[in-house]
Amino acid sequence: MLLRRLPSTAVSLATAALSRRYTSYLFSSQRRLQSFNSISFYPTISLLSFCSSSEISPEFTDLIADQSSKRGPLKPGLYLVGTPIGNLEDITLRALRVLKSADVILSEDTRHSGKLLHYYNIKTPLLSYHKYNESQREHTVLKRLKQGEIVALISDAGMPGISDPGTELAKICVDENIPVIPIPGPSAFLTALSASGLSTDEFTFVGFLPKHAGSRKERLVASASETTTQIFYVPPHKLGQFLEESSLIFGDSRQCVIARELTKIHEEFWRGTLGTAREAFSTRQPKGEITLLIEGNSNSSVETPSESQLENDLRELISNGHSLSSAVKLVAEGTSMKKKTIYSLALRKFVKKTKADDSD
């Protein structure tokens, strides 16, 4: 909201002016809508939304609780609640209702989630729940759920279970016939996809790549052959490595979009080819979470490079100072061919040639 960016004095003056201008309309609107309980709530919110950006007015959350009582209590179960991926205003009224009504909130990082709860004046206790203590927490959480409690699960950002903790707990609850209720909310990869300019008809969400180089290459090779838009989560400190590896496998000319700091003040969409991206980010490491999208393969069949193409790639790398084994490794990472095959070619083409040159 624009008013959140103004100094406090300006906010006061603007709020007063808006209040005088719209008070009569809002009250008349409320009278006309009294018979519609489900929407009479919203005119009141507009008067409460001009509060401090550091904390929402207590009246706001009290109003949510009042409306919740009219809708009836929540049923016991595990609630997977979507939370903002950056901008704290990107949360649904239903999510706030669940977080305020829950007996406990499982949180990936209690300090991080505490800021969100403080902003909306929610006092529900937090309990840490992350990938390092999931198995230890399961017994305690299941016990509380079986006792009829309302347990909300949130991640640091976005939907629980999507590249975040929550999947295993949801599976266990399903097996135990405990209700699992999703509360939809923001998602970084859908947000990035919608504004990317790439095809949204079909897409593949890959998420974070494996840490092991071999598994990482295998996943990239599979993605490179797909015709759908490919979506990855990339840690900022690994962006250079990702662009280096993906440009070899996808090709320098494949279009990509690098979405950074989504919904935040410094939100950025970088668009171009993988080759250009590799050069652009070789000397700078961006800050913030990154969602990286690559256009699908227009030719669904993966072309096997010819022997002459492989030879040229090897020659270029060797001339740039790479050892034979290093050049073979890099070329192998950029194709679907086995490293052993490329190494045999390198020995045949370059080792013999070197010996012949030495004999001269």
Side-chain angles (χ1 to χ4, degrees):
M1 291 174 58
L2 176 60
L3 289 179
R4 292 191 186 281
R5 306 182 191 281
L6 298 176
S8 57
T9 305
V11 171
S12 301
L13 293 173
T15 304
L18 286 170
S19 298
R20 287 196 297 272
R21 183 174 178 182
Y22 291 113
T23 297
S24 59
Y25 168 76
L26 289 169
F27 279 107
S28 63
S29 297
Q30 287 177 313
R31 284 195 295 271
R32 286 196 299 271
L33 296 173
Q34 279 177 350
S35 60
F36 301 98
N37 289 332
S38 63
I39 56 177
S40 62
F41 168 51
Y42 298 104
T44 311
I45 289 181
S46 60
L47 288 174
L48 296 172
S49 61
F50 301 114
C51 57
S52 167
S53 61
S54 61
E55 182 180 353
I56 290 294
S57 168
E59 287 84 357
F60 180 84
T61 48
D62 290 343
L63 194 54
I64 293 174
D66 179 60
Q67 293 297 316
S68 298
S69 63
K70 293 179 181 178
R71 292 182 175 88
L74 297 174
K75 65 178 181 180
L78 176 66
Y79 287 77
L80 306 179
V81 184
T83 53
I85 59 176
N87 191 317
L88 293 182
E89 294 178 351
D90 294 334
I91 193 167
T92 67
L93 296 173
R94 188 180 176 208
L96 292 175
R97 177 193 175 201
V98 170
L99 294 178
K100 190 171 181 68
S101 304
D103 295 296
V104 65
I105 298 173
L106 304 181
S107 166
E108 189 176 1
D109 184 338
T110 55
R111 291 172 297 179
H112 179 86
S113 299
K115 297 174 184 177
L116 175 68
L117 300 190
H118 176 73
Y119 185 81
Y120 285 103
N121 195 36
I122 294 173
K123 308 297 184 183
T124 307
L126 286 165
L127 180 66
S128 66
Y129 184 86
H130 45 74
K131 65 180 181 180
Y132 299 109
N133 72 354
E134 278 182 294
S135 56
Q136 290 85 0
R137 289 282 193 225
E138 284 172 3
H139 177 74
T140 303
V141 174
L142 280 175
K143 182 179 179 181
R144 298 184 70 158
L145 285 165
K146 288 178 179 179
Q147 290 173 346
E149 289 194 8
I150 298 168
V151 177
L153 172 62
I154 62 177
S155 65
D156 285 348
M159 287 298 297
I162 309 300
S163 293
D164 275 320
T167 303
E168 292 304 316
L169 183 58
K171 286 180 181 178
I172 293 170
C173 287
V174 169
D175 292 340
E176 296 285 339
N177 292 317
I178 296 171
V180 179
I181 305 99
I183 308 298
S187 170
F189 81 84
L190 288 176
T191 302
L193 177 65
S194 67
S196 67
L198 300 179
S199 175
T200 61
D201 293 336
E202 290 185 275
F203 58 89
T204 300
F205 173 65
V206 180
F208 293 103
L209 288 174
K211 292 182 179 179
H212 185 265
S215 301
R216 200 163 59 242
K217 178 194 172 184
E218 186 178 342
R219 175 63 254 188
L220 287 173
V221 168
S223 289
S225 65
E226 293 191 26
T227 58
T228 61
T229 301
Q230 302 294 298
I231 309 174
F232 303 87
Y233 284 160
V234 182
H237 65 281
K238 290 189 176 181
L239 179 61
Q241 178 193 66
F242 180 93
L243 293 172
E244 191 71 36
E245 295 177 349
S246 60
S247 60
L248 280 170
I249 295 173
F250 284 79
D252 282 344
S253 61
R254 194 81 72 93
Q255 291 291 320
C256 72
V257 176
I258 300 174
R260 185 182 68 85
E261 293 284 79
L262 291 172
T263 77
K264 299 180 182 178
I265 294 175
H266 300 293
E267 177 181 281
E268 177 189 13
F269 281 85
W270 187 98
R271 297 175 174 87
T273 65
L274 281 171
T276 307
R278 187 183 69 247
E279 294 177 7
F281 291 95
S282 62
T283 56
R284 69 181 180 99
Q285 180 183 304
K287 296 180 180 179
E289 298 301 320
I290 293 171
T291 303
L292 199 149
L293 306 91
I294 303 176
E295 71 172 340
N297 191 348
S298 56
N299 183 4
S300 58
S301 61
V302 179
E303 294 183 6
T304 302
S306 65
E307 188 173 293
S308 61
Q309 287 177 310
L310 292 172
E311 184 180 351
N312 289 335
D313 290 343
L314 288 167
R315 181 179 292 106
E316 182 180 352
L317 289 168
I318 292 171
S319 64
N320 287 331
H322 287 276
S323 65
L324 186 71
S325 59
S326 174
V328 168
K329 181 181 178 182
L330 289 170
V331 171
E333 288 176 351
T335 73
S336 57
M337 295 182 66
K338 292 183 178 179
K339 182 179 176 181
K340 184 178 179 180
T341 303
I342 299 173
Y343 192 73
S344 297
L345 173 66
L347 289 175
R348 190 170 73 251
K349 294 291 184 178
F350 295 97
V351 174
K352 289 182 179 180
K353 184 177 291 187
T354 302
K355 288 181 178 179
D357 293 340
D358 292 341
S359 64
D360 293 340

